[in-house]
Amino acid sequence: MTLITISGYPTSGKTRRANQIKDYLEQRLQDASYEGPRLKVRILSDDILNVDRAAYDDSRSEKAARGTLFTAMQREMAKDTILIVDAMNYIKGFRYQMYCAARELKLRVCTVYVVATPELCKKWETERKDGKSYAPETLDNLIMRYEEPSSMVRWDSPLITIPWIDEDVPKDDIWKAVMEGNVKPPNSGTQAIQKAPSDALHTLEHTANSLVSAIMAEQSASGGLGGSVLLSMSGSLKPRIQLPARNITLSELQRLKRQFVTVHKKAITLGTVEKGGVDWSEESVAQKFVSYLEENLKP
């Protein structure tokens, strides 16, 4: 349904805001006036995943921590779930990665930027009593490296900013983003590539060769008159082709056949991103080759 990405400095009040958002959404979804689909609201955080604050002390352990969060996020995302990711999410590249994962599932996205000054965050950090504190140098480093969200980039939009002085979250803005926001299609570059069947290469070669033989046989029988010709091939294949009024040499047909096969071999071996099913049957290959010859045979 929706991915809500919480972002902000360490100890800026992100968990408090995540809980406020969750409580409000659950209340609104249970209201008698709500007539939409049945939805769950979930929070995902380092604490829920038992990721220790010490994981951010060095880059290697931090990378593993982000991987744990991302994997859990992918597991929790669903059409019937509003997922709130309560973490720093301070690297814009990581927010973009999360955004792409949400788009793959055609979920709405929303970024909530929890704002507090570095001085306040450091003060609140010293007042913690839950034993979940950052090392002072780690806290300074994370604040210095923080990459602020921007409403100007698609992966941070829509962006809802909540300053520390606000007692509550902007409920109407959040509800609108969760329930009415645009659902963007997946990036074409991240979609699964459709593979050709295992016998596609054999079909391509065999059908192209058979069509060349049929053209040469027809030309021999008709004396090279050209025009619209119905070719007889193996089985029930009888493609129609428009031939030029001249004798076409075997070497010319073989050259065009090699060009055609080379182009389509690439689609077979690397896959295709064409929309819908891609037909590699003999009939389809024959029709494609006929069109290719009609375009490339000179009068």
Side-chain angles (χ1 to χ4, degrees):
M1 178 65 178
T2 304
L3 172 68
I4 301 176
T5 303
I6 307 287
S7 182
Y9 286 151
T11 323
S12 58
K14 298 183 297 300
T15 297
R16 174 189 168 212
R17 300 304 188 181
N19 287 325
Q20 286 178 324
I21 293 170
K22 181 177 185 289
D23 291 344
Y24 164 68
L25 290 175
E26 287 180 335
Q27 180 183 0
R28 187 77 179 263
L29 291 169
Q30 292 168 8
D31 192 275
S33 62
Y34 173 70
E35 298 178 349
R38 298 189 63 177
L39 301 172
K40 300 175 291 186
V41 185
R42 297 277 190 268
I43 291 180
L44 199 61
S45 68
D46 284 347
D47 290 343
I48 290 172
L49 296 172
N50 295 316
V51 175
D52 193 88
R53 298 292 192 273
Y56 294 92
D57 290 347
D58 64 80
S59 59
R60 180 176 296 181
S61 58
E62 181 184 336
K63 185 177 181 180
R66 284 201 303 272
T68 299
L69 180 67
F70 186 75
T71 301
M73 181 199 75
Q74 288 181 300
R75 189 167 55 246
E76 291 284 347
M77 286 192 302
K79 293 286 187 181
D80 64 346
T81 302
I82 300 171
L83 182 61
I84 304 168
V85 181
D86 170 24
M88 284 181 292
N89 300 318
Y90 72 99
I91 300 172
K92 60 183 178 182
F94 185 59
R95 294 198 298 270
Y96 176 70
Q97 187 180 1
M98 296 166 70
Y99 162 81
C100 289
R103 283 187 64 173
E104 278 298 293
L105 294 177
K106 298 181 180 179
L107 306 182
R108 293 186 177 93
V109 294
C110 169
T111 302
V112 174
Y113 179 23
V114 179
V115 179
T117 65
E119 292 74 24
L120 275 175
C121 292
K122 292 176 182 179
K123 177 178 178 292
W124 292 335
E125 181 72 6
T126 61
E127 296 171 353
R128 296 189 76 119
K129 306 210 184 294
D130 56 5
K132 298 176 180 178
S133 299
Y134 297 92
E137 59 275 14
T138 300
L139 182 64
D140 290 337
N141 186 38
L142 291 171
I143 289 175
M144 181 183 66
R145 292 164 52 203
Y146 185 81
E147 295 175 331
E148 185 175 321
S150 169
S151 60
M152 301 299 291
V153 297
R154 61 188 183 280
W155 58 87
D156 288 334
S157 299
L159 179 64
I160 298 172
T161 302
I162 309 176
W164 74 93
I165 57 175
D166 288 1
E167 287 298 320
D168 205 351
V169 297
K171 297 177 178 178
D172 291 340
D173 292 342
I174 290 171
W175 182 257
K176 184 176 180 181
V178 168
M179 304 303 295
E180 302 174 20
N182 293 329
V183 179
K184 298 180 181 179
N187 289 324
S188 60
T190 62
Q191 295 186 62
I193 294 176
Q194 185 173 357
K195 293 293 184 181
S198 58
D199 63 345
L201 191 56
H202 171 76
T203 302
L204 178 67
E205 292 274 7
H206 174 74
T207 305
N209 282 328
S210 298
L211 204 144
V212 167
S213 298
I215 291 173
M216 293 304 296
E218 172 60 33
Q219 185 171 252
S220 177
S222 65
L225 295 176
S228 180
V229 175
L230 189 66
L231 301 175
S232 293
M233 296 175 62
S234 61
S236 59
L237 281 181
K238 294 185 181 297
R240 184 173 292 277
I241 186 171
Q242 188 75 26
L243 295 175
R246 65 176 176 84
N247 280 319
I248 305 169
T249 65
L250 179 60
S251 62
E252 184 179 5
L253 285 174
Q254 292 284 15
R255 176 177 57 82
L256 291 174
K257 187 211 79 170
R258 284 193 300 271
Q259 293 174 356
F260 173 79
V261 169
T262 299
V263 169
H264 288 79
K265 263 186 180 178
K266 188 175 182 180
I268 291 172
T269 56
L270 298 181
T272 177
V273 292
E274 292 181 37
K275 293 183 179 178
V278 180
D279 190 355
W280 289 101
S281 65
E282 287 187 5
E283 183 178 357
S284 177
V285 171
Q287 190 54 55
K288 288 178 181 178
F289 191 29
V290 164
S291 299
Y292 185 81
L293 290 175
E294 288 177 340
E295 291 175 6
N296 291 279
L297 282 172
K298 296 179 182 179

